Amino acid sequence: MLGWSSPEPASTTSGKERETVPHAGGSGAPGVDPEQLWLRPTEPRKGRRPSFSRAAITAAAVALADAEGLDAVTMRRVAAEIGAGVMSLYTYAPDKETLLELMVDHVSGELTVTDPPTGDWRADLKAIAHLQRAHMLRHPWLPAALVTRRVPGPNTLAFLEHALAVLRPTGLDGAAKLEIFAQLTAFVAGHVGHEIAQAAVSRSPDRAAAEARYLAAVAADGRHPELAEALAAPGLPLTPEATFSRFLGRLIDGLDITQ
Amino acid sequence: MLGWSSPEPASTTSGKERETVPHAGGSGAPGVDPEQLWLRPTEPRKGRRPSFSRAAITAAAVALADAEGLDAVTMRRVAAEIGAGVMSLYTYAPDKETLLELMVDHVSGELTVTDPPTGDWRADLKAIAHLQRAHMLRHPWLPAALVTRRVPGPNTLAFLEHALAVLRPTGLDGAAKLEIFAQLTAFVAGHVGHEIAQAAVSRSPDRAAAEARYLAAVAADGRHPELAEALAAPGLPLTPEATFSRFLGRLIDGLDITQ
DNA sequence: CTCAATTCCGTACGATGTACGAGAATAGAG
DNA sequence: CTCTATTCTCGTACATCGTACGGAATTGAG
């Protein structure tokens, strides 16, 4: 094995099995073991030489997701893309969830930060968020994939390192800084995800019209006066960038009705 | 066909949040038609009388998700739970995605708001968020399900109506108010989803230890000084509630390092 | 009665993730 | 060299999923 394999160590509990614990749907209890994933030692000089590589497989999966969406990333498609048999992929990643994790960290390698922190942590944080937004727009599957992401890989950690440096002037404790980064990332992912969904709906005139009619009907039923008024006075339409900046300003500077 | 009509008002009458994120997977994916879903008139009385109901099916699916997680909600399991044949479900919902949509709006009926807006919109908004958090903790699959949800059903709209009333004192335009509600909901979902995942990891001592070792190893490699320091000075451990309140304060009052 | 509408659901199909194990390739030991 | 341990490759097989199809059963209308 290429090294991700678990040594199956002292698993003293005999009947471990799956615990049927209430959990959030896609995110199961087990998850991916970060040690086996990211900390594997350099590998063996024996046995058959690998025909593929974890990086090549990951890159193929990313290309597929970029071009056709996350749903197109099946083990069969990825294998076909690199000319491998399906089961060969399992030499390089123990399961599909791990492959997803590899994909996320792979694209995170694009998040290179050249400028050091300026000392104005609010401005720096906004710059980070804009970087993340552009990144997610480039890989529209990222917001959805991030929902189940567990442990940061090396590229993600490098970016986190930068964010922590940015937050140094705040003097906050470690937990608070980590928390802020997680919140910021989650917020950007949520916003961009919404942005992408909106764009997808707009691209389908039928659905866009159906949604508009539905909301109009609800607003007209008399039981939703606030909604009716909100829809009637929508305000000036803004570009997605402007909306994002306003949203970012709210988060970092606070919800301020003066905008 | 039952016309996908929604004659029965489920349980309660209040609604809940809206969603945010997209369906970043399949590019321009269709989704669910809100008109067909929520606006169908009651159907003609002819033909065989229905043995089940949309509400019963939805309730069974919700119970299943509450007890065993979203993954346990398969058409076969739901059908078995109510004593129906699998394909009978398709009389009441055109596909599984629609069933998910029904589930989300169904539980949103629990979000009843009794108190009218106080005029202090920041406090009211925080109360809304706390309501949502409790709601999501009661239905741990909700944060994951909300990621793909798009069009608010009747219960969700009722809750939105309340949120809009709360935001009236701000004088913001309609789009801004809707945006704030969406952002708040997304933020709560993200936070609670994280909370649930964290609890799941903690429940598995092996994995918790593995993650701790992994982060310790990264911190010790010398290339992540900020992370090392952040982990070394974590600050006082807080209860999940306290963390949530701090997070909420940041969002609504603004990122303020004095907190 | 007949007829059309509607619900119920058994069967079947294609797709998915992946367990299993046989075979091929390689490196070191003898 | 041969032998053996080790590692990679991948065809086959299976369980499980969502759901298309079509026929049987039930109902109201004419």
Side-chain angles (χ1 to χ4, degrees):
Chain A
M1 317 256 185
L2 270 184
W4 53 261
S5 67
S6 60
E8 207 83 24
S11 178
T12 53
T13 54
S14 55
K16 190 171 167 184
E17 280 298 337
R18 68 177 55 187
E19 28 186 324
T20 59
V21 173
H23 57 71
S27 60
V32 174
D33 185 341
E35 287 187 295
Q36 298 300 330
L37 224 194
W38 303 118
L39 293 184
R40 70 185 173 125
T42 49
E43 272 316 303
R45 273 284 166 233
K46 210 174 178 184
R48 187 172 177 169
R49 262 181 308 188
S51 306
F52 314 102
S53 73
R54 177 177 272 193
I57 292 170
T58 306
V62 166
L64 247 175
D66 287 346
E68 303 182 36
L70 252 198
D71 291 344
V73 179
T74 70
M75 301 304 272
R76 280 165 235 261
R77 276 298 301 274
V78 173
E81 217 71 34
I82 62 167
V86 191
M87 295 312 293
S88 297
L89 300 187
Y90 288 86
T91 300
Y92 301 89
D95 50 36
K96 193 188 178 181
E97 191 186 334
T98 298
L99 179 57
L100 271 212
E101 208 112 17
L102 290 170
M103 289 170 64
V104 169
D105 198 70
H106 183 86
V107 295
S108 294
E110 300 169 7
L111 284 172
T112 52
V113 184
T114 53
D115 310 327
T118 65
D120 180 351
W121 62 271
R122 290 180 196 268
D124 287 345
L125 225 45
K126 290 179 187 175
I128 284 178
H130 276 102
L131 243 177
Q132 289 180 310
R133 173 170 175 266
H135 186 232
M136 292 181 194
L137 287 176
R138 207 156 46 235
H139 303 288
W141 47 273
L142 255 183
L146 284 177
V147 169
T148 39
R149 176 178 118 266
R150 287 167 213 317
V151 177
N155 287 328
T156 308
L157 283 173
F159 193 65
L160 170 61
E161 184 71 14
H162 170 72
L164 291 175
V166 157
L167 285 171
R168 173 168 285 279
T170 64
L172 290 169
D173 63 61
K177 282 189 278 193
L178 292 171
E179 193 188 314
I180 286 180
F181 178 71
Q183 286 174 15
L184 184 69
T185 302
F187 217 78
V188 174
H191 182 90
V192 174
H194 194 73
E195 219 176 294
I196 292 168
Q198 198 79 7
V201 169
S202 302
R203 215 175 296 119
S204 166
D206 296 346
R207 176 144 325 273
E211 291 197 4
R213 278 195 306 267
Y214 166 67
L215 288 178
V218 172
D221 72 2
R223 294 173 308 174
H224 300 86
E226 300 283 348
L227 177 63
E229 184 181 324
L231 292 176
L236 294 177
L238 298 174
T239 66
E241 288 79 15
T243 305
F244 179 72
S245 290
R246 190 169 70 172
F247 129 94
L248 199 54
R250 287 209 190 98
L251 172 63
I252 295 182
D253 303 327
L255 270 184
D256 185 347
I257 60 173
T258 64
Q259 300 185 27
Chain B
M1 328 192 192
L2 274 181
W4 322 129
S5 63
S6 62
E8 33 228 321
S11 49
T12 52
T13 40
S14 284
K16 195 198 76 152
E17 70 281 318
R18 226 184 128 219
E19 47 58 51
T20 26
V21 191
H23 182 321
S27 59
V32 174
D33 185 341
E35 286 187 296
Q36 298 299 328
L37 224 194
W38 304 117
L39 292 186
R40 275 307 256 257
T42 47
E43 284 303 310
R45 269 296 158 199
K46 203 177 177 185
R48 188 172 178 168
R49 264 167 30 214
S51 307
F52 313 102
S53 73
R54 177 176 271 194
I57 292 170
T58 306
V62 166
L64 212 45
D66 286 346
E68 303 181 35
L70 251 199
D71 291 344
V73 180
T74 70
M75 301 304 272
R76 281 166 235 260
R77 277 297 302 273
V78 173
E81 218 70 35
I82 63 167
V86 191
M87 294 312 293
S88 297
L89 300 188
Y90 289 87
T91 300
Y92 300 88
D95 50 36
K96 193 189 178 182
E97 191 185 334
T98 299
L99 179 55
L100 273 211
E101 208 113 18
L102 291 170
M103 290 170 63
V104 170
D105 198 70
H106 183 86
V107 295
S108 295
E110 301 169 6
L111 283 171
T112 52
V113 184
T114 53
D115 310 326
T118 65
D120 180 353
W121 61 271
R122 290 181 196 268
D124 287 345
L125 225 45
K126 289 178 187 176
I128 284 178
H130 276 102
L131 244 177
Q132 289 181 311
R133 172 169 175 266
H135 185 233
M136 292 182 195
L137 287 175
R138 207 157 44 235
H139 303 289
W141 47 273
L142 255 182
L146 285 176
V147 167
T148 32
R149 224 64 14 221
R150 299 179 148 191
V151 178
N155 288 329
T156 307
L157 282 172
F159 194 63
L160 170 62
E161 184 70 13
H162 171 70
L164 290 175
V166 157
L167 285 171
R168 174 168 284 280
T170 64
L172 290 170
D173 63 60
K177 282 190 277 194
L178 292 170
E179 192 189 315
I180 285 180
F181 180 69
Q183 286 174 14
L184 183 69
T185 301
F187 217 11
V188 174
H191 182 89
V192 174
H194 216 85
E195 220 176 294
I196 292 169
Q198 197 80 6
V201 169
S202 303
R203 215 175 295 118
S204 166
D206 296 348
R207 181 148 318 278
E211 291 197 5
R213 278 194 306 267
Y214 166 67
L215 288 178
V218 171
D221 72 1
R223 293 172 310 175
H224 299 86
E226 299 283 349
L227 177 63
E229 185 181 324
L231 292 176
L236 293 177
L238 297 175
T239 66
E241 287 79 14
T243 305
F244 179 73
S245 290
R246 190 167 71 173
F247 129 95
L248 199 54
R250 286 210 189 96
L251 174 63
I252 295 182
D253 301 328
L255 270 185
D256 185 343
I257 61 172
T258 63
Q259 298 182 41

